[in-house]
Amino acid sequence: MNFKLKTPLSLIVSGLVFSALSACNNSVTTHSAVQNTASQAVIDNTEFGPTNNMQGSQAAWLSNNNWLLTSKIKGLVIADSTTQQSNIIKKGNFEALSISQLTASSFLVATIDNNQDNVIIFKLEQHKTSWKITEVTRIAPPQARPDTVCLFANKETGAISAFVPDVRGLITETIIFNTINNKALNINVREFSGVNEASGCAVSTATNTLFVSEGEIGIWAINANAESKANKKPIALVAPFGALNAELGALSTSSDGMIWFTSTENNQVYAYDPISKALKNWTLSGGLSLESVAINYTSNSTATAILYNDETGVYMQSSLPVTPINNSLKTNVQSITKIKASAQTTPVKAFGDAADDPAIWINPKNTANSLILGTDKRRGLMVYNLNGKLEQSLEVGRLNNVDLRQNNTIKNNTNTLITASNRSLNSISVFTVQASNNIKHITDIPTNLNEIYGLCMYSSGTGNYVFVNDKSGLYQQYKLNENGDNITGKLVREFSLPSQPEGCSADDKLGQLFVGEEDAGIWFIGAEPTAGITPTLLQTVNEQLIDDVEGMEIYHGDKARYLVVSSQGDDSYVLYKINGDDQGVTAPSLEFAGKFSVISDLSRGIDGVSETDGLTVTAKPLPGYPEGILVVQDGYNRLPQQPQNFKIIDWREVKKAIK
């Protein structure tokens, strides 16, 4: 492989300054925090595999003494580290290499086909002493040659993805295999900013982290989870910015999750522990120009290393004194149940933070015609059917939260009022559902809040109400008054939380209001305007509820009520059983009942969910959903990468998390 860097020094320096600032802002462990441990002995090495006209790049351990080697001249070569015998299993011009084991005798192999400038995926199977290789699929970045490729086996979803950094400085992720049904796929997941010239990449399953190397700059870490921000963080940099020697080559990972790489300067081999952040290095003997290393542990203190020496164009074999990492990641005190969505809505119109909060309108005559409402906080109110198809768009301003009430005290054709917090007008936008099943914008009720933010509704024998808040923590309660289409609001109460709120949910029957303080927890106050102005803190953020505390809604089951809360900090949801059925101001208690996250469903082509803002839930039976649905906003819409949307989840899936 040719790792020569063409980036101007000024660009490198500016990039490092920016990265260092980003690292500080994100509390990232940079090169200064890496523990560097050097092995003092110079380690011998011998030639390995074919020695004539190899022009290799990278190796990977398969099983027993079998290694797979890439060659620009010979193709893909199987070599035995004990007998030194080798044979070509696929002719071609290949460089870069990553494998993922499917069974004891079968593997997925990813490499770059230089003849076609794309990534090729093979299935490699061992039958006693012979090997069979079959092409599975190809990945071609648009009008861009791939720099390298690495595979990621996601144990949570059963998907195997290929990350492909390319010459544009972008990285694409493509799902290539579903291990649950043993089927090959080619599904684009996302595309994000990478590095200027990637010399290698590898994924550590110990931390689900993608590592990317830049030859004369360093090693970068990116969250491998598709439902995350693809922020790039430096973990080790090349001198003079860090302790590494240039020029860094390809990356590989060993069975324990250690990240391995080399530098062409001073015959260095490096191993980075992604858990402890420790960096070890070894010096090999001879006049070498090392471009890659692959590792197989042979004992608790020794590993066989296969390296590529660009000086001679030959692979080398060595034995390194190294102990596998045995650190285990800290796990949550409470287990997280993994569930899947049944459907999803049409994405909002543009990328960025736009989709926010949903609500569900039940058609009393035919539940199949019920509607899902969703705010687009750049445009207005989006209206979807139960399958998620966009039916209507009302572009009335930057709507943040939405809620609705259906009852006989509301005097219109469908007995429905819908309200939303309108940040363009600092108002409460009011809508209804017409007999034709269309949403109609009626009016806007002004507020005197500095910046309207969250919203929820409440109905009782005393009237229909709207609660709104702003970022200062101030809540206002408005009573709605109807005179045909002339709807007004009267401010009837104010109370405050210590800091920024947003989500809230009211129990109409019991007159209870639950409100979230994003950085602190969940509060309670009576929902009637006469219930006072002093909220009670019911639940603080902890190892189960990770801030920000975002959307929340009450599910009214046959035997219990559950408060569903978005635990945005760890992309999950917490279920609390609500204990206490006293009317009015007596504070109930919240009992932890379960925790769940939404993962991708490859069979339906629906991605998982992350960074949920708003959510809503209903226990009303709907077609295909006998116990109702949960609807949540999805911060990162993948499979493929699209603007944000809402995911629709069968409540029977949610029930799996209830302890």
Side-chain angles (χ1 to χ4, degrees), residues 27-97:
S27 301
V28 175
T29 302
T30 62
H31 63 277
S32 60
V34 171
Q35 305 170 36
N36 196 341
T37 305
S39 176
Q40 300 300 318
V42 176
I43 298 171
D44 292 333
N45 52 88
T46 58
E47 291 184 345
F48 173 73
T51 57
N52 295 324
N53 203 23
M54 191 61 176
Q55 292 189 32
S57 66
Q58 204 167 350
W61 177 71
L62 295 171
S63 61
N64 299 322
N65 301 314
N66 296 307
W67 295 78
L68 183 63
L69 313 178
T70 56
S71 169
K72 297 176 185 177
I73 302 299
K74 299 181 183 298
L76 295 178
V77 179
I78 296 281
D80 189 303
S81 58
T82 301
T83 65
Q84 297 296 315
Q85 293 181 344
S86 63
N87 64 291
I88 299 171
I89 60 169
K90 185 70 177 180
K91 292 183 178 180
N93 177 356
F94 302 116
E95 67 174 313
L97 183 64

Side-chain angles (χ1 to χ4, degrees), residues 86-109:
S86 63
N87 64 291
I88 299 171
I89 60 169
K90 185 70 177 180
K91 292 183 178 180
N93 177 356
F94 302 116
E95 67 174 313
L97 183 64
S98 182
I99 69 167
S100 182
Q101 188 164 8
L102 299 175
T103 67
S105 58
S106 64
F107 309 83
L108 282 184
V109 176

Side-chain angles (χ1 to χ4, degrees), residues 550-551 566 568 571 573 609-615 632-635:
E550 291 284 342
S566 170
Q568 193 180 69
D571 300 325
Y573 310 86
V609 180
S610 57
E611 293 194 8
T612 289
D613 288 326
L615 60 80
V632 301
Q633 181 260 359
D634 184 11

Side-chain angles (χ1 to χ4, degrees), residues 407-420:
N407 60 64
N408 291 330
T409 69
I410 299 171
K411 304 304 180 183
N412 57 40
N413 288 336
T414 57
N415 304 120
T416 301
L417 282 178
I418 303 163
T419 62

Side-chain angles (χ1 to χ4, degrees), residues 200-222:
C201 70
V203 178
S204 172
T205 53
T207 58
N208 286 350
T209 303
L210 167 66
F211 294 90
V212 183
S213 57
E214 272 186 288
E216 294 186 1
I217 295 180
I219 309 293
W220 304 89
I222 303 169

Side-chain angles (χ1 to χ4, degrees), residues 231-509:
N231 289 341
K232 186 175 62 175
K233 305 172 184 178
I235 59 102
L237 299 177
V238 170
F241 308 106
L244 301 182
N245 291 316
E247 178 173 356
L248 303 183
L251 301 182
S252 66
T253 184
S254 48
S255 58
D256 57 346
M258 194 97 78
I259 297 297
W260 294 82
F261 56 99
T262 60
S263 72
T264 56
E265 211 174 274
N266 298 332
N267 299 349
Q268 294 293 297
V269 175
Y270 294 95
Y272 175 74
D273 181 341
I275 299 174
S276 69
K277 316 299 182 188
L279 181 68
K280 300 178 181 180
N281 65 296
W282 296 262
T283 303
L284 271 63
S285 62
L288 309 177
S289 179
L290 299 177
E291 288 199 349
S292 67
V293 58
I295 293 293
N296 174 42
Y297 291 107
T298 53
S299 72
N300 287 331
S301 58
T302 309
T304 297
I306 303 298
L307 311 103
Y308 179 68
N309 179 18
D310 191 50
E311 186 70 26
T312 61
V314 173
Y315 285 94
M316 312 296 294
Q317 178 175 341
S318 186
S319 181
L320 301 180
V322 60
T323 302
I325 58 177
N326 55 13
N327 312 58
S328 59
L329 286 174
K330 293 181 179 179
T331 57
N332 291 335
V333 174
Q334 300 293 334
S335 61
I336 301 180
T337 302
K338 310 297 182 183
I339 67 173
K340 298 177 180 180
S342 299
Q344 60 183 335
T345 67
T346 305
V348 295
K349 288 189 176 180
F351 283 98
D353 188 18
D356 194 277
D357 191 44
I360 303 165
W361 179 75
I362 306 297
N363 187 311
K365 296 180 180 179
N366 183 356
T367 56
N369 292 330
S370 299
L371 300 172
I372 295 171
L373 314 178
T375 59
D376 180 337
K377 53 194 175 189
R378 294 183 174 186
R379 289 175 174 81
L381 188 65
M382 305 298 117
V383 184
Y384 310 93
N385 64 26
L386 290 180
N387 294 321
K389 179 184 176 184
L390 182 65
E391 299 286 357
Q392 195 178 355
S393 175
L394 293 90
E395 299 194 2
V396 297
R398 296 185 297 117
L399 300 188
N400 202 67
N401 285 33
V402 63
D403 203 0
L404 61 83
R405 284 297 184 267
Q406 297 174 250
N407 60 64
N408 291 330
T409 69
I410 299 171
K411 304 304 180 183
N412 57 40
N413 288 336
T414 57
N415 304 120
T416 301
L417 282 178
I418 303 163
T419 62
S421 50
N422 191 323
R423 299 176 72 179
S424 295
L425 303 175
N426 214 33
S427 66
I428 300 169
S429 292
V430 183
F431 308 81
T432 191
V433 183
Q434 297 176 301
S436 61
N437 230 51
N438 287 329
I439 304 296
K440 175 186 177 183
H441 178 223
I442 301 173
T443 190
D444 278 273
I445 299 171
T447 73
N448 60 5
L449 293 172
N450 290 329
E451 183 182 1
I452 195 169
Y453 196 51
L455 173 148
C456 63
M457 293 186 71
Y458 166 65
S459 293
S460 72
T462 66
N464 296 298
Y465 300 91
V466 180
F467 292 95
V468 290
N469 58 56
D470 66 15
K471 293 186 177 182
S472 72
L474 175 64
Y475 262 90
Q476 292 184 337
Q477 182 175 6
Y478 288 82
K479 183 175 182 179
L480 299 178
N481 298 299
E482 292 181 84
N483 184 11
D485 279 352
N486 182 23
I487 298 176
T488 59
K490 179 182 178 182
L491 178 63
V492 294
R493 182 171 57 149
E494 291 185 338
F495 60 89
S496 293
L497 298 184
S499 65
Q500 180 172 323
E502 183 176 6
C504 58
S505 181
D507 187 313
D508 293 354
K509 180 180 178 180

Side-chain angles (χ1 to χ4, degrees), residues 638-652:
R638 314 296 195 194
L639 297 179
Q641 184 167 298
Q642 298 180 93
Q644 296 176 335
N645 70 350
F646 300 91
K647 299 296 193 284
I648 304 165
I649 304 159
D650 191 329
W651 182 259
R652 292 173 296 179

